[in-house]
Amino acid sequence: MSKKSPLAVAMLAFLPLASHAFGADPHIRLIASTCLNCHGPGGKSLGAVPGLAGQDQAYLLTAMKEQKSGTRETTVMRRYMNGYTEDEMTKLAEYFSSLK
Amino acid sequence: MSPNRRQFLKSSAASLALAAASGGALAKPDKAQPHVVVVGAGWGGATCAKYLRLWDPDIRVTLIEPNPHFTSCPMSNWVVGGFQSFDYLVKSYDNLPKYGIKMVKDLVTGVDGEKQVVHTKAGKKIHYDRLVLAPGMEFMTETVAGYDEGAKAQKVMHAFKAGPETLLLRKQLEAMPDGGVFVIASPPPPGRCVSGPYERACAAAHYFKQHKPRSKIIMLDGHIDVVSKGPMFKAAWKEFYPGMIEHRPNNLAVGFDHKTMTVTTEFEDVKGDVVNIIPLQRAPKLCKDAGVRNDALDRWCNIDYVTYESTSVPKVHVIGDPVMSNMPKSAHVSNNQAKICAAAIIELLHGRQPVPAPVIGSTSYSVTSDHTSGSIAVVMRYDPAKKVYQRQPEGGANTKHSELDFAYGLAWHENMWADTLG
């Protein structure tokens, strides 16, 4: 591992789960990254669109399934959820809930 | 400091910390590090450079951009309509070096694919292991006779690259008398932001309705219909601006006489008090010179849809507007292509297989007034057997504009900026 600056080492202490997120399934990590331009970098939103980082895993999966079925009212999300498989939704929920 | 600015900075710090935690984004460059050069710091290029470093801090990244600031094309119609300031579109590049990206303020003038070197206007020769071209598009102004003369006289503008032309258009609309005619001539796809001209008509109509209600907007459309968000736009025009916007399809502008302010199409001559012509577009000359503008019409760049590597020049990748594909040429898609490309380059540099079937999302919001928007959203999945991105079911545009979409559109802008530059 390359030598870190004291600043980087200090930052490490605050982000224990970051390395876990980087170790995710590359396919899921890539899909998740394409969610961030709406939901905010690192899953932390700056506006009306909800943030995803650290949300409860079961809640995220339920929300995605309800968006897909149409039982939950959405604007763009039903159109999005119809593009993902159930397996991808399960893994995306796990991924975003792991982000802090 | 505004709350948004504060949140933006907070998010920047979080992203930086994330990069540091992943293994040394702040580490000094090493000669053994592979070097990726990214040309153009727009939505695609800046995102690609940032995610290369976030995902693999062992890669050295140089980002070359001639402009001192980032200027957003999305939201520039808000400036045309007078409900946002131009300054709001301008963002700093100051956060990008914090990820370990080397920013070079220069213009790339040539690419030597054999030697793997880019040449710059300042006379630099920069070697790359992988090159990413994200230079946006250029206008084929030669397809509109008289356009260049008219533009020189400031009697016509495209205002489709946010900048001085955005302000020129706004100024001319402000100076136009009540009862005047504003002509918007737009090309058929493929081209940048196909919904942009229709959104522009809404933004201008919103302004006219309040200040010059007898004015008229004539849209000379090179396409057969309102190509993006059609039902939504048409309903909004009827509801908010009855009788003000006249859409004339199948009417590609082929000429402009700035002395008489007349646009000539394939079917008619139309006079305007303010004339905005958006010509056909193609991948910029740099792409042609690099040998990657290689489609049959010499307009766009054929790429491998898994890696975004050119089909004609190895180790040169192309993202964003110049790409030949069925994906929209939008900020959102450029940002997402940048991530797919960055991930693929990392795998290639490590001798591994890139993600074989990338999934890309496409969203855009268009304002219909200063408080309503419509949206489009679709997921596209790469099909390795058919070698094409397939649109997934249920995707598309909504048929009604809403205040909620306006709020989400605003949040989209803030998060896009933070994801790309923050």
Side-chain angles (χ1 to χ4, degrees), chain B residues 355-390:
Chain B
V355 170
V359 183
I360 195 164
S362 169
T363 304
S364 88
Y365 292 90
S366 299
V367 291
T368 50
S369 73
D370 68 348
H371 66 283
T372 49
S373 288
S375 62
I376 193 163
V378 65
V379 173
M380 300 177 79
R381 306 181 70 97
Y382 183 63
D383 180 339
K386 293 182 178 164
K387 294 189 186 304
V388 68
Y389 281 86
Q390 303 272 21

PDB file of all heavy atoms in Angstrom, chain B residues 355-390:
ATOM      1  N   VAL B 355     -16.574  -5.023 -16.669  1.00  0.00           N
ATOM      2  CA  VAL B 355     -17.972  -5.444 -16.490  1.00  0.00           C
ATOM      3  C   VAL B 355     -18.569  -5.654 -17.884  1.00  0.00           C
ATOM      4  O   VAL B 355     -18.603  -4.718 -18.697  1.00  0.00           O
ATOM      5  CB  VAL B 355     -18.761  -4.354 -15.717  1.00  0.00           C
ATOM      6  CG1 VAL B 355     -20.254  -4.659 -15.726  1.00  0.00           C
ATOM      7  CG2 VAL B 355     -18.234  -4.233 -14.287  1.00  0.00           C
ATOM      8  N   PRO B 356     -19.025  -6.889 -18.186  1.00  0.00           N
ATOM      9  CA  PRO B 356     -19.352  -7.218 -19.581  1.00  0.00           C
ATOM     10  C   PRO B 356     -20.656  -6.638 -20.108  1.00  0.00           C
ATOM     11  O   PRO B 356     -20.819  -6.499 -21.317  1.00  0.00           O
ATOM     12  CB  PRO B 356     -19.417  -8.749 -19.565  1.00  0.00           C
ATOM     13  CG  PRO B 356     -19.720  -9.104 -18.145  1.00  0.00           C
ATOM     14  CD  PRO B 356     -19.132  -8.039 -17.288  1.00  0.00           C
ATOM     15  N   ALA B 357     -21.591  -6.333 -19.203  1.00  0.00           N
ATOM     16  CA  ALA B 357     -22.900  -5.830 -19.671  1.00  0.00           C
ATOM     17  C   ALA B 357     -23.305  -4.614 -18.837  1.00  0.00           C
ATOM     18  O   ALA B 357     -24.157  -4.691 -17.961  1.00  0.00           O
ATOM     19  CB  ALA B 357     -23.950  -6.934 -19.570  1.00  0.00           C
ATOM     20  N   PRO B 358     -22.696  -3.457 -19.121  1.00  0.00           N
ATOM     21  CA  PRO B 358     -23.001  -2.263 -18.316  1.00  0.00           C
ATOM     22  C   PRO B 358     -24.472  -1.844 -18.432  1.00  0.00           C
ATOM     23  O   PRO B 358     -25.126  -2.099 -19.451  1.00  0.00           O
ATOM     24  CB  PRO B 358     -22.097  -1.181 -18.914  1.00  0.00           C
ATOM     25  CG  PRO B 358     -21.115  -1.876 -19.772  1.00  0.00           C
ATOM     26  CD  PRO B 358     -21.740  -3.169 -20.197  1.00  0.00           C
ATOM     27  N   VAL B 359     -24.947  -1.213 -17.386  1.00  0.00           N
ATOM     28  CA  VAL B 359     -26.322  -0.693 -17.335  1.00  0.00           C
ATOM     29  C   VAL B 359     -26.219   0.815 -17.135  1.00  0.00           C
ATOM     30  O   VAL B 359     -25.486   1.281 -16.277  1.00  0.00           O
ATOM     31  CB  VAL B 359     -27.104  -1.315 -16.158  1.00  0.00           C
ATOM     32  CG1 VAL B 359     -28.550  -0.821 -16.163  1.00  0.00           C
ATOM     33  CG2 VAL B 359     -27.046  -2.832 -16.216  1.00  0.00           C
ATOM     34  N   ILE B 360     -26.927   1.552 -17.959  1.00  0.00           N
ATOM     35  CA  ILE B 360     -26.803   3.007 -17.895  1.00  0.00           C
ATOM     36  C   ILE B 360     -28.186   3.630 -17.694  1.00  0.00           C
ATOM     37  O   ILE B 360     -29.174   3.143 -18.233  1.00  0.00           O
ATOM     38  CB  ILE B 360     -26.118   3.546 -19.176  1.00  0.00           C
ATOM     39  CG1 ILE B 360     -25.644   4.976 -18.973  1.00  0.00           C
ATOM     40  CG2 ILE B 360     -27.019   3.447 -20.389  1.00  0.00           C
ATOM     41  CD1 ILE B 360     -24.644   5.428 -20.028  1.00  0.00           C
ATOM     42  N   GLY B 361     -28.227   4.664 -16.892  1.00  0.00           N
ATOM     43  CA  GLY B 361     -29.485   5.376 -16.691  1.00  0.00           C
ATOM     44  C   GLY B 361     -29.458   6.697 -17.442  1.00  0.00           C
ATOM     45  O   GLY B 361     -28.401   7.296 -17.603  1.00  0.00           O
ATOM     46  N   SER B 362     -30.618   7.116 -17.911  1.00  0.00           N
ATOM     47  CA  SER B 362     -30.696   8.402 -18.607  1.00  0.00           C
ATOM     48  C   SER B 362     -31.883   9.176 -18.055  1.00  0.00           C
ATOM     49  O   SER B 362     -33.012   8.695 -18.075  1.00  0.00           O
ATOM     50  CB  SER B 362     -30.877   8.166 -20.103  1.00  0.00           C
ATOM     51  OG  SER B 362     -31.194   9.381 -20.744  1.00  0.00           O
ATOM     52  N   THR B 363     -31.607  10.355 -17.546  1.00  0.00           N
ATOM     53  CA  THR B 363     -32.683  11.225 -17.031  1.00  0.00           C
ATOM     54  C   THR B 363     -32.457  12.632 -17.532  1.00  0.00           C
ATOM     55  O   THR B 363     -31.318  13.086 -17.606  1.00  0.00           O
ATOM     56  CB  THR B 363     -32.657  11.275 -15.485  1.00  0.00           C
ATOM     57  OG1 THR B 363     -32.735   9.958 -14.970  1.00  0.00           O
ATOM     58  CG2 THR B 363     -33.818  12.100 -14.936  1.00  0.00           C
ATOM     59  N   SER B 364     -33.530  13.308 -17.872  1.00  0.00           N
ATOM     60  CA  SER B 364     -33.403  14.751 -18.064  1.00  0.00           C
ATOM     61  C   SER B 364     -34.697  15.423 -17.645  1.00  0.00           C
ATOM     62  O   SER B 364     -35.776  14.843 -17.748  1.00  0.00           O
ATOM     63  CB  SER B 364     -33.020  15.112 -19.505  1.00  0.00           C
ATOM     64  OG  SER B 364     -34.155  15.259 -20.314  1.00  0.00           O
ATOM     65  N   TYR B 365     -34.536  16.613 -17.134  1.00  0.00           N
ATOM     66  CA  TYR B 365     -35.682  17.438 -16.743  1.00  0.00           C
ATOM     67  C   TYR B 365     -35.722  18.646 -17.663  1.00  0.00           C
ATOM     68  O   TYR B 365     -34.669  19.223 -17.985  1.00  0.00           O
ATOM     69  CB  TYR B 365     -35.535  17.910 -15.298  1.00  0.00           C
ATOM     70  CG  TYR B 365     -35.640  16.801 -14.270  1.00  0.00           C
ATOM     71  CD1 TYR B 365     -34.511  16.102 -13.839  1.00  0.00           C
ATOM     72  CD2 TYR B 365     -36.873  16.444 -13.740  1.00  0.00           C
ATOM     73  CE1 TYR B 365     -34.611  15.087 -12.905  1.00  0.00           C
ATOM     74  CE2 TYR B 365     -36.988  15.427 -12.809  1.00  0.00           C
ATOM     75  CZ  TYR B 365     -35.851  14.753 -12.386  1.00  0.00           C
ATOM     76  OH  TYR B 365     -35.954  13.744 -11.467  1.00  0.00           O
ATOM     77  N   SER B 366     -36.918  19.045 -18.076  1.00  0.00           N
ATOM     78  CA  SER B 366     -37.072  20.252 -18.889  1.00  0.00           C
ATOM     79  C   SER B 366     -38.081  21.161 -18.213  1.00  0.00           C
ATOM     80  O   SER B 366     -39.195  20.720 -17.891  1.00  0.00           O
ATOM     81  CB  SER B 366     -37.606  19.908 -20.280  1.00  0.00           C
ATOM     82  OG  SER B 366     -36.718  19.063 -20.969  1.00  0.00           O
ATOM     83  N   VAL B 367     -37.694  22.428 -18.040  1.00  0.00           N
ATOM     84  CA  VAL B 367     -38.661  23.353 -17.444  1.00  0.00           C
ATOM     85  C   VAL B 367     -39.712  23.730 -18.482  1.00  0.00           C
ATOM     86  O   VAL B 367     -39.436  23.829 -19.675  1.00  0.00           O
ATOM     87  CB  VAL B 367     -37.990  24.642 -16.915  1.00  0.00           C
ATOM     88  CG1 VAL B 367     -37.131  24.361 -15.707  1.00  0.00           C
ATOM     89  CG2 VAL B 367     -37.200  25.372 -17.991  1.00  0.00           C
ATOM     90  N   THR B 368     -40.941  23.930 -17.980  1.00  0.00           N
ATOM     91  CA  THR B 368     -42.008  24.452 -18.823  1.00  0.00           C
ATOM     92  C   THR B 368     -42.415  25.849 -18.353  1.00  0.00           C
ATOM     93  O   THR B 368     -43.181  26.537 -19.026  1.00  0.00           O
ATOM     94  CB  THR B 368     -43.228  23.513 -18.807  1.00  0.00           C
ATOM     95  OG1 THR B 368     -43.553  23.213 -17.444  1.00  0.00           O
ATOM     96  CG2 THR B 368     -42.915  22.216 -19.534  1.00  0.00           C
ATOM     97  N   SER B 369     -41.908  26.233 -17.169  1.00  0.00           N
ATOM     98  CA  SER B 369     -42.103  27.587 -16.632  1.00  0.00           C
ATOM     99  C   SER B 369     -41.082  27.743 -15.500  1.00  0.00           C
ATOM    100  O   SER B 369     -40.223  26.872 -15.325  1.00  0.00           O
ATOM    101  CB  SER B 369     -43.522  27.761 -16.075  1.00  0.00           C
ATOM    102  OG  SER B 369     -43.654  27.046 -14.851  1.00  0.00           O
ATOM    103  N   ASP B 370     -41.201  28.803 -14.714  1.00  0.00           N
ATOM    104  CA  ASP B 370     -40.237  28.981 -13.621  1.00  0.00           C
ATOM    105  C   ASP B 370     -40.566  28.143 -12.392  1.00  0.00           C
ATOM    106  O   ASP B 370     -39.901  28.248 -11.370  1.00  0.00           O
ATOM    107  CB  ASP B 370     -40.143  30.467 -13.235  1.00  0.00           C
ATOM    108  CG  ASP B 370     -41.419  30.987 -12.580  1.00  0.00           C
ATOM    109  OD1 ASP B 370     -42.454  30.277 -12.627  1.00  0.00           O
ATOM    110  OD2 ASP B 370     -41.377  32.103 -12.027  1.00  0.00           O
ATOM    111  N   HIS B 371     -41.623  27.285 -12.494  1.00  0.00           N
ATOM    112  CA  HIS B 371     -41.955  26.431 -11.344  1.00  0.00           C
ATOM    113  C   HIS B 371     -42.460  25.049 -11.739  1.00  0.00           C
ATOM    114  O   HIS B 371     -42.888  24.291 -10.882  1.00  0.00           O
ATOM    115  CB  HIS B 371     -42.971  27.138 -10.445  1.00  0.00           C
ATOM    116  CG  HIS B 371     -44.313  27.341 -11.119  1.00  0.00           C
ATOM    117  ND1 HIS B 371     -44.526  28.324 -12.054  1.00  0.00           N
ATOM    118  CD2 HIS B 371     -45.484  26.679 -11.012  1.00  0.00           C
ATOM    119  CE1 HIS B 371     -45.774  28.262 -12.483  1.00  0.00           C
ATOM    120  NE2 HIS B 371     -46.359  27.258 -11.874  1.00  0.00           N
ATOM    121  N   THR B 372     -42.413  24.719 -13.025  1.00  0.00           N
ATOM    122  CA  THR B 372     -42.869  23.389 -13.465  1.00  0.00           C
ATOM    123  C   THR B 372     -41.860  22.770 -14.438  1.00  0.00           C
ATOM    124  O   THR B 372     -41.190  23.478 -15.188  1.00  0.00           O
ATOM    125  CB  THR B 372     -44.231  23.479 -14.195  1.00  0.00           C
ATOM    126  OG1 THR B 372     -44.138  24.523 -15.181  1.00  0.00           O
ATOM    127  CG2 THR B 372     -45.367  23.778 -13.246  1.00  0.00           C
ATOM    128  N   SER B 373     -41.778  21.457 -14.400  1.00  0.00           N
ATOM    129  CA  SER B 373     -40.885  20.709 -15.306  1.00  0.00           C
ATOM    130  C   SER B 373     -41.539  19.396 -15.708  1.00  0.00           C
ATOM    131  O   SER B 373     -42.447  18.916 -15.032  1.00  0.00           O
ATOM    132  CB  SER B 373     -39.556  20.359 -14.610  1.00  0.00           C
ATOM    133  OG  SER B 373     -38.762  21.494 -14.436  1.00  0.00           O
ATOM    134  N   GLY B 374     -41.019  18.827 -16.776  1.00  0.00           N
ATOM    135  CA  GLY B 374     -41.361  17.465 -17.151  1.00  0.00           C
ATOM    136  C   GLY B 374     -40.090  16.643 -17.137  1.00  0.00           C
ATOM    137  O   GLY B 374     -38.987  17.200 -17.163  1.00  0.00           O
ATOM    138  N   SER B 375     -40.229  15.338 -17.095  1.00  0.00           N
ATOM    139  CA  SER B 375     -39.023  14.500 -16.995  1.00  0.00           C
ATOM    140  C   SER B 375     -39.073  13.349 -17.980  1.00  0.00           C
ATOM    141  O   SER B 375     -40.137  12.964 -18.478  1.00  0.00           O
ATOM    142  CB  SER B 375     -38.887  13.932 -15.577  1.00  0.00           C
ATOM    143  OG  SER B 375     -39.995  13.099 -15.287  1.00  0.00           O
ATOM    144  N   ILE B 376     -37.879  12.816 -18.229  1.00  0.00           N
ATOM    145  CA  ILE B 376     -37.760  11.590 -19.021  1.00  0.00           C
ATOM    146  C   ILE B 376     -36.779  10.702 -18.269  1.00  0.00           C
ATOM    147  O   ILE B 376     -35.828  11.197 -17.662  1.00  0.00           O
ATOM    148  CB  ILE B 376     -37.284  11.899 -20.462  1.00  0.00           C
ATOM    149  CG1 ILE B 376     -37.463  10.700 -21.383  1.00  0.00           C
ATOM    150  CG2 ILE B 376     -35.848  12.375 -20.529  1.00  0.00           C
ATOM    151  CD1 ILE B 376     -37.414  11.060 -22.870  1.00  0.00           C
ATOM    152  N   ALA B 377     -37.048   9.421 -18.258  1.00  0.00           N
ATOM    153  CA  ALA B 377     -36.145   8.498 -17.562  1.00  0.00           C
ATOM    154  C   ALA B 377     -36.204   7.139 -18.238  1.00  0.00           C
ATOM    155  O   ALA B 377     -37.286   6.643 -18.549  1.00  0.00           O
ATOM    156  CB  ALA B 377     -36.548   8.360 -16.093  1.00  0.00           C
ATOM    157  N   VAL B 378     -35.035   6.587 -18.478  1.00  0.00           N
ATOM    158  CA  VAL B 378     -34.983   5.257 -19.088  1.00  0.00           C
ATOM    159  C   VAL B 378     -33.692   4.563 -18.667  1.00  0.00           C
ATOM    160  O   VAL B 378     -32.658   5.210 -18.472  1.00  0.00           O
ATOM    161  CB  VAL B 378     -35.099   5.354 -20.638  1.00  0.00           C
ATOM    162  CG1 VAL B 378     -33.908   6.067 -21.250  1.00  0.00           C
ATOM    163  CG2 VAL B 378     -35.250   3.972 -21.273  1.00  0.00           C
ATOM    164  N   VAL B 379     -33.786   3.265 -18.466  1.00  0.00           N
ATOM    165  CA  VAL B 379     -32.595   2.456 -18.194  1.00  0.00           C
ATOM    166  C   VAL B 379     -32.251   1.722 -19.481  1.00  0.00           C
ATOM    167  O   VAL B 379     -33.129   1.176 -20.155  1.00  0.00           O
ATOM    168  CB  VAL B 379     -32.856   1.452 -17.050  1.00  0.00           C
ATOM    169  CG1 VAL B 379     -31.682   0.490 -16.890  1.00  0.00           C
ATOM    170  CG2 VAL B 379     -33.123   2.205 -15.747  1.00  0.00           C
ATOM    171  N   MET B 380     -30.974   1.723 -19.825  1.00  0.00           N
ATOM    172  CA  MET B 380     -30.524   1.015 -21.017  1.00  0.00           C
ATOM    173  C   MET B 380     -29.477  -0.021 -20.597  1.00  0.00           C
ATOM    174  O   MET B 380     -28.534   0.310 -19.879  1.00  0.00           O
ATOM    175  CB  MET B 380     -29.954   2.006 -22.039  1.00  0.00           C
ATOM    176  CG  MET B 380     -30.987   3.042 -22.467  1.00  0.00           C
ATOM    177  SD  MET B 380     -30.350   4.286 -23.618  1.00  0.00           S
ATOM    178  CE  MET B 380     -30.387   3.375 -25.156  1.00  0.00           C
ATOM    179  N   ARG B 381     -29.672  -1.253 -21.031  1.00  0.00           N
ATOM    180  CA  ARG B 381     -28.759  -2.343 -20.658  1.00  0.00           C
ATOM    181  C   ARG B 381     -28.023  -2.807 -21.907  1.00  0.00           C
ATOM    182  O   ARG B 381     -28.646  -3.052 -22.945  1.00  0.00           O
ATOM    183  CB  ARG B 381     -29.529  -3.515 -20.048  1.00  0.00           C
ATOM    184  CG  ARG B 381     -30.417  -3.144 -18.871  1.00  0.00           C
ATOM    185  CD  ARG B 381     -31.112  -4.379 -18.323  1.00  0.00           C
ATOM    186  NE  ARG B 381     -30.151  -5.247 -17.667  1.00  0.00           N
ATOM    187  CZ  ARG B 381     -29.939  -5.240 -16.351  1.00  0.00           C
ATOM    188  NH1 ARG B 381     -30.627  -4.435 -15.565  1.00  0.00           N
ATOM    189  NH2 ARG B 381     -29.041  -6.051 -15.824  1.00  0.00           N
ATOM    190  N   TYR B 382     -26.729  -2.982 -21.763  1.00  0.00           N
ATOM    191  CA  TYR B 382     -25.950  -3.460 -22.912  1.00  0.00           C
ATOM    192  C   TYR B 382     -26.205  -4.945 -23.124  1.00  0.00           C
ATOM    193  O   TYR B 382     -26.136  -5.746 -22.181  1.00  0.00           O
ATOM    194  CB  TYR B 382     -24.460  -3.219 -22.690  1.00  0.00           C
ATOM    195  CG  TYR B 382     -23.637  -3.633 -23.886  1.00  0.00           C
ATOM    196  CD1 TYR B 382     -23.808  -3.005 -25.110  1.00  0.00           C
ATOM    197  CD2 TYR B 382     -22.708  -4.679 -23.802  1.00  0.00           C
ATOM    198  CE1 TYR B 382     -23.077  -3.395 -26.224  1.00  0.00           C
ATOM    199  CE2 TYR B 382     -21.968  -5.075 -24.900  1.00  0.00           C
ATOM    200  CZ  TYR B 382     -22.164  -4.434 -26.116  1.00  0.00           C
ATOM    201  OH  TYR B 382     -21.447  -4.819 -27.212  1.00  0.00           O
ATOM    202  N   ASP B 383     -26.512  -5.275 -24.354  1.00  0.00           N
ATOM    203  CA  ASP B 383     -26.750  -6.665 -24.727  1.00  0.00           C
ATOM    204  C   ASP B 383     -25.519  -7.146 -25.502  1.00  0.00           C
ATOM    205  O   ASP B 383     -25.334  -6.768 -26.670  1.00  0.00           O
ATOM    206  CB  ASP B 383     -28.012  -6.726 -25.604  1.00  0.00           C
ATOM    207  CG  ASP B 383     -28.356  -8.139 -26.041  1.00  0.00           C
ATOM    208  OD1 ASP B 383     -27.447  -9.008 -26.024  1.00  0.00           O
ATOM    209  OD2 ASP B 383     -29.525  -8.372 -26.402  1.00  0.00           O
ATOM    210  N   PRO B 384     -24.644  -7.950 -24.865  1.00  0.00           N
ATOM    211  CA  PRO B 384     -23.396  -8.356 -25.526  1.00  0.00           C
ATOM    212  C   PRO B 384     -23.640  -9.156 -26.811  1.00  0.00           C
ATOM    213  O   PRO B 384     -22.831  -9.092 -27.734  1.00  0.00           O
ATOM    214  CB  PRO B 384     -22.695  -9.227 -24.477  1.00  0.00           C
ATOM    215  CG  PRO B 384     -23.319  -8.855 -23.174  1.00  0.00           C
ATOM    216  CD  PRO B 384     -24.738  -8.482 -23.501  1.00  0.00           C
ATOM    217  N   ALA B 385     -24.750  -9.901 -26.900  1.00  0.00           N
ATOM    218  CA  ALA B 385     -25.013 -10.706 -28.094  1.00  0.00           C
ATOM    219  C   ALA B 385     -25.355  -9.792 -29.278  1.00  0.00           C
ATOM    220  O   ALA B 385     -24.864  -9.983 -30.389  1.00  0.00           O
ATOM    221  CB  ALA B 385     -26.157 -11.680 -27.825  1.00  0.00           C
ATOM    222  N   LYS B 386     -26.179  -8.792 -29.014  1.00  0.00           N
ATOM    223  CA  LYS B 386     -26.613  -7.897 -30.101  1.00  0.00           C
ATOM    224  C   LYS B 386     -25.723  -6.667 -30.225  1.00  0.00           C
ATOM    225  O   LYS B 386     -25.884  -5.867 -31.159  1.00  0.00           O
ATOM    226  CB  LYS B 386     -28.066  -7.475 -29.877  1.00  0.00           C
ATOM    227  CG  LYS B 386     -29.027  -8.648 -30.019  1.00  0.00           C
ATOM    228  CD  LYS B 386     -30.456  -8.215 -29.845  1.00  0.00           C
ATOM    229  CE  LYS B 386     -31.385  -9.410 -30.052  1.00  0.00           C
ATOM    230  NZ  LYS B 386     -32.726  -9.192 -29.566  1.00  0.00           N
ATOM    231  N   LYS B 387     -24.811  -6.495 -29.257  1.00  0.00           N
ATOM    232  CA  LYS B 387     -23.879  -5.357 -29.259  1.00  0.00           C
ATOM    233  C   LYS B 387     -24.599  -4.018 -29.341  1.00  0.00           C
ATOM    234  O   LYS B 387     -24.258  -3.133 -30.150  1.00  0.00           O
ATOM    235  CB  LYS B 387     -22.852  -5.488 -30.393  1.00  0.00           C
ATOM    236  CG  LYS B 387     -21.914  -6.670 -30.219  1.00  0.00           C
ATOM    237  CD  LYS B 387     -20.810  -6.608 -31.248  1.00  0.00           C
ATOM    238  CE  LYS B 387     -19.915  -7.830 -31.229  1.00  0.00           C
ATOM    239  NZ  LYS B 387     -19.280  -8.141 -29.959  1.00  0.00           N
ATOM    240  N   VAL B 388     -25.616  -3.870 -28.512  1.00  0.00           N
ATOM    241  CA  VAL B 388     -26.366  -2.610 -28.501  1.00  0.00           C
ATOM    242  C   VAL B 388     -26.947  -2.397 -27.103  1.00  0.00           C
ATOM    243  O   VAL B 388     -27.187  -3.359 -26.365  1.00  0.00           O
ATOM    244  CB  VAL B 388     -27.487  -2.645 -29.576  1.00  0.00           C
ATOM    245  CG1 VAL B 388     -28.564  -3.654 -29.216  1.00  0.00           C
ATOM    246  CG2 VAL B 388     -28.101  -1.278 -29.805  1.00  0.00           C
ATOM    247  N   TYR B 389     -27.121  -1.135 -26.720  1.00  0.00           N
ATOM    248  CA  TYR B 389     -27.823  -0.829 -25.468  1.00  0.00           C
ATOM    249  C   TYR B 389     -29.318  -0.920 -25.721  1.00  0.00           C
ATOM    250  O   TYR B 389     -29.849  -0.249 -26.605  1.00  0.00           O
ATOM    251  CB  TYR B 389     -27.456   0.567 -24.952  1.00  0.00           C
ATOM    252  CG  TYR B 389     -26.120   0.610 -24.242  1.00  0.00           C
ATOM    253  CD1 TYR B 389     -24.932   0.789 -24.934  1.00  0.00           C
ATOM    254  CD2 TYR B 389     -26.050   0.455 -22.855  1.00  0.00           C
ATOM    255  CE1 TYR B 389     -23.701   0.819 -24.284  1.00  0.00           C
ATOM    256  CE2 TYR B 389     -24.831   0.486 -22.185  1.00  0.00           C
ATOM    257  CZ  TYR B 389     -23.661   0.672 -22.913  1.00  0.00           C
ATOM    258  OH  TYR B 389     -22.456   0.698 -22.253  1.00  0.00           O
ATOM    259  N   GLN B 390     -29.995  -1.772 -24.938  1.00  0.00           N
ATOM    260  CA  GLN B 390     -31.435  -1.994 -25.123  1.00  0.00           C
ATOM    261  C   GLN B 390     -32.215  -1.151 -24.120  1.00  0.00           C
ATOM    262  O   GLN B 390     -31.958  -1.220 -22.909  1.00  0.00           O
ATOM    263  CB  GLN B 390     -31.772  -3.477 -24.873  1.00  0.00           C
ATOM    264  CG  GLN B 390     -31.001  -4.449 -25.743  1.00  0.00           C
ATOM    265  CD  GLN B 390     -31.698  -4.731 -27.071  1.00  0.00           C
ATOM    266  OE1 GLN B 390     -32.535  -3.937 -27.522  1.00  0.00           O
ATOM    267  NE2 GLN B 390     -31.335  -5.817 -27.711  1.00  0.00           N
TER     268      GLN B 390
END
